[in-house]
Amino acid sequence: EMLTGFSDGLQEMLLAESVYADPYGYVLSTWELFEMWCSGDEAALIAYLNDEGESDETTEDPETPELTDEEQQYIDEYNNAMGTDRNDDMHDVAVGYLESGKVVFYAVGLAHLLNDVNGLVDALRAAGYTVEPVTYG
């Protein structure tokens, strides 16, 4: 429902991004995230996730064109729906599980955990819960 509710322009942009995506780059970035997670370096993960996709104003990449206002609007639409709104809902569900007294396994994507706007880790810590990383290896 969320994905089909995106504006036509955003859906076109996402389709084009999928068609022209670099699969090798995707694999490398996924592997890089995995290694950071294995190391337990929460600060490195946060920095990586929060810089992902944002332009560095001090360095201009000649291969990355500047976004138009319309493209930026689409990106904001996407980030709000995929991150901010979903994180709020995920936080409410997590608190419900924690308050239920039941033993549960609640899994969400990494970007939802450490997002700098309203990530679940910071939101749960702010609500008084103890959140500890679990790493592999």
Side-chain angles (χ1 to χ4, degrees):
E1 184 178 306
M2 177 192 61
L3 295 174
T4 59
F6 286 150
S7 66
D8 290 346
L10 175 56
Q11 289 189 37
E12 287 177 30
M13 191 170 115
L14 292 172
L15 177 60
E17 195 173 287
S18 295
V19 169
Y20 299 111
D22 172 17
Y24 183 70
Y26 177 78
V27 169
L28 286 177
S29 66
T30 302
W31 185 255
E32 188 176 5
L33 279 171
F34 175 73
E35 288 180 329
M36 280 187 266
W37 172 66
C38 288
S39 75
D41 190 346
E42 188 175 308
L45 282 166
I46 291 169
Y48 182 90
L49 291 170
N50 293 325
D51 288 340
E52 187 72 11
E54 295 180 11
S55 63
D56 181 355
E57 295 178 20
T58 61
T59 307
E60 196 161 313
D61 182 353
E63 301 207 13
T64 305
E66 279 196 39
L67 296 174
T68 65
D69 289 343
E70 183 178 38
E71 290 169 330
Q72 186 59 54
Q73 182 180 354
Y74 295 146
I75 288 172
D76 292 344
E77 175 187 351
Y78 179 84
N79 288 339
N80 187 53
M82 293 294 286
T84 305
D85 293 346
R86 288 175 67 205
N87 285 359
D88 291 343
D89 293 341
M90 289 178 192
H91 174 264
D92 293 343
V93 170
V95 169
Y97 284 142
L98 290 166
E99 292 177 353
S100 75
K102 297 177 183 177
V103 175
V104 299
F105 179 80
Y106 185 54
V108 300
L110 178 60
H112 296 287
L113 293 174
L114 301 173
N115 183 290
D116 66 346
V117 176
N118 66 339
L120 293 175
V121 170
D122 286 345
L124 290 170
R125 286 177 177 158
Y129 294 97
T130 300
V131 180
E132 297 177 10
V134 176
T135 60
Y136 174 81

